[in-house]
Amino acid sequence: MRGQSLAKAQAALESAGFTVVDGGATASELPSGTVARSAPAGGTTASPDSTVTVYTSDATLKLLPDVIGLSESVARARLTGYSVVTVAEIMTDPEQVGKVNAMTPRSGSLARAGDTVTLTVGALG
């Protein structure tokens, strides 16, 4: 069901004998209005006459891009919409100065616009 339209998921569940309740919107990276999750979760054993609550995506979460190894300015540009904080880390390798060496949360994590992303950037020591 995940990623399907609410109408398609509801039709499939009802044809299997379940009662469907619209649980409203939930934070998700999926397109707005598509099914993000259900309770009980998909794959769970449930009797056909039970109720399944379906939650649709509000599309407020995005996957953070990988900015490790990029210059601070390029990394900030790729993280537009997030609150970016920079932490300097003394480096002995001059090739690493001005480049992002770490980020928190990690790339591939889900985050909302406005969430804080901390970049560790190499600096001369």
Side-chain angles (χ1 to χ4, degrees), residues 31-50:
S32 183
T34 59
V35 175
R37 64 182 180 91
S38 65
T44 302
T45 303
S47 61
D49 60 343
S50 60

Side-chain angles (χ1 to χ4, degrees), residues 31-109:
S32 183
T34 59
V35 175
R37 64 182 180 91
S38 65
T44 302
T45 303
S47 61
D49 60 343
S50 60
T51 299
V52 176
T53 304
V54 177
Y55 299 89
T56 53
S57 174
D58 65 5
T60 56
L61 298 178
K62 305 288 182 217
L63 289 173
L64 288 173
D66 184 5
V67 297
I68 304 299
L70 300 178
S71 70
E72 180 182 354
S73 61
V74 171
R76 284 181 171 275
R78 293 208 180 152
L79 293 168
T80 298
Y82 298 100
S83 175
V84 179
V85 175
T86 303
V87 175
E89 180 178 25
I90 304 302
M91 302 304 250
T92 56
D93 180 358
E95 294 289 321
Q96 296 302 313
V97 173
K99 292 185 179 176
V100 176
N101 297 300
M103 67 182 279
T104 305
R106 295 185 318 226
S107 62
S109 299

Side-chain angles (χ1 to χ4, degrees), residues 1 4-18 20:
M1 285 190 318
Q4 294 181 357
S5 70
L6 177 59
K8 186 173 182 180
Q10 184 172 358
L13 288 166
E14 287 176 346
S15 72
F18 295 104
V20 178

